[in-house]
Amino acid sequence: MIKFLDLKAINGQYQSEIEEQLLKVFRSGWYILGDELRSFQNNLSAFTGVKHAVGVANGLDALRLIFKAYIQSGVMQEADEVIVPANTFIASVLAISDNRLTPVFVEPDIETYNIDISKIEEKISSRTKAILLVHLYGRVVFSDELTALAKKYNLKIIEDNAQAIGAVWQGTKTGALGDVAAFSFYPGKNLGALGDAGAITTHDEQLASRVQAIANYGSSEKYIHDVMGVNSRLDEIQAAVLNVKMKYLDSENDKRRIVAGFYINEIRNKKIILPQMPQNMDEHVWHLFVVRCEHRNDLQAYLEKNGIQTLIHYPVPPHLQKAYPGYNHLQLGITEKIHREVLSLPISSVLKIEEMQKIVDVINTY
Ligand SMILES: *Cc1c(COP(=O)(O)O)cnc(C)c1O
C-alpha cells in the first residue's frame, strides 16, 4: 500500500539529529520557555522575514490568540465581522467564532481553490474588521487589489499560514504578507513537530508581546497578570525538533514541487481535473496535491483497490457542519462543489519515483 503520508519515513530522514536534540532537552532539566523556544522563534522570524515570532501550543491557538489580542487592544469587539474563505479547514472559522466574532464566508476561485479576492468587497460591512486569508493546500493567495481593499476599509489582514510555510509572493514569504500570521506545526504539516505546535509571526511588536502574554496566563512578568490569559505554550521538546527540521524545510518543499510537477505532466485522464501550476513555482509549497473528479468516491475506491491511499480535504465545508447550525442554510455553490469533488493524492518528500509512477499509471487507467 502506498501510504497517503509516511510520517515515520519523513522524520526518519533526520532521526539521529532529532534524537540527539531530544536527549539534550531531556538532560537539560528545562522543558518550558527556554533556549530551544527562543532559538526557534528567531529561526522562524528570520525564515519568514518578520521582526517577531511567538511559539504557541498549536495552529488553532495561534489564530485564536491573534483575535484575542486584537480584542484586548480594542481593534475588534464582540460581533465584529471577519471575512473568511468558505473553503477552508474548520480551524480558521473556529478561531473567529470562539472569540464571539462573526465569520463572513466568501466563495473560492475554482481554479486556485483560494478565496476569490474579487468577491470580498461586496461582503464588507461597517462591522468588518479583518480578512482572514488561508493559503489553502500550500498556495499563496495575495494581490495588490487585496492590500488596497484592506487600506480602503481599514481592515487587518491575517494569514492562516498553517499549510503554506515557505511559499513566496513577489519576494515576500507567506507569514509576512499581512499584519499577522498563524502557523501550525501539526505533524502532517510541511514543517511538522512530533506533536502539536504552532506560532504567530508579525512586524508589530505590541501585538507580538500581547500574544506572548496571553499564551502564558496573561503574564509578561511572573505571577503578575495584566490580562486574562490562557496556557498555550510551545514546549522545548517540540521547539528542538522544529529547530532541526527547519533547516531542511526548503528542500522538503522543493521535493514536493517535484512530485507535483510529475503528476501534472504525467496524469492524463479526462475524468480528472488537475490543480493549476502557478506561474511562479515558489508561490506553491504543495502541502496537498488535490485533484477533482465528478465521481470522487468511486475514484478513491479504485485507487484504494490498487494499493494507493488517498484522503479528502475536506468532505464537508464549515458552513454545513453540525457545529454551525446557524450557517447550514447558506448556499455556497462553488465551495460545495469543491467539497464533493476533491481528492488528495499522496505527496511528500519521501515518495519514491516508482510510487509516483504507479500512482500516475493507476489514475491514467481509471
Ligand atoms: C492545520 C490547520 C490549522 C490548525 O492547526 P492545528 O495545529 O491543527 O491546530 C488551521 N488552519 C488550517 C488551514 C490548517 O490546515
Side-chain angles (χ1 to χ4, degrees), residues 88-223:
T88 184
F89 178 55
I90 197 159
S92 322
V93 186
L94 286 173
I96 299 169
S97 46
D98 182 63
N99 280 287
R100 298 172 180 275
L101 299 163
T102 304
V104 175
F105 297 107
V106 172
E107 285 267 55
D109 173 345
I110 190 85
E111 300 283 322
T112 65
Y113 306 125
N114 273 325
I115 194 166
D116 186 339
I117 292 173
S118 72
K119 290 183 180 158
I120 292 179
E121 190 164 18
E122 66 199 57
K123 293 291 176 71
I124 294 174
S125 79
S126 59
R127 295 226 70 155
T128 311
K129 291 291 156 62
I131 300 170
L132 177 54
L133 294 177
V134 183
H135 306 296
L136 199 69
Y137 307 150
R139 182 177 182 148
V140 180
V141 58
F142 209 76
S143 70
D144 295 325
E145 186 194 349
L146 184 84
T147 320
L149 263 185
K151 212 167 171 181
K152 181 174 169 190
Y153 295 98
N154 191 26
L155 308 177
K156 298 291 180 195
I157 296 181
I158 302 167
E159 294 174 82
D160 178 341
N161 197 27
Q163 301 191 358
I165 186 169
V168 179
W169 184 77
Q170 298 189 359
T172 303
K173 289 245 172 76
T174 54
L177 290 165
D179 294 282
V180 58
F183 292 67
S184 164
F185 309 112
Y186 174 80
K189 298 285 156 80
N190 288 28
L191 177 61
L194 302 185
D196 279 314
I200 68 112
T201 56
T202 181
H203 289 297
D204 182 340
E205 187 180 352
Q206 266 201 319
L207 182 62
S209 18
R210 217 176 258 282
V211 169
Q212 184 144 43
I214 297 170
N216 189 28
Y217 294 115
S219 153
S220 343
E221 195 186 328
K222 205 164 186 178
Y223 303 130

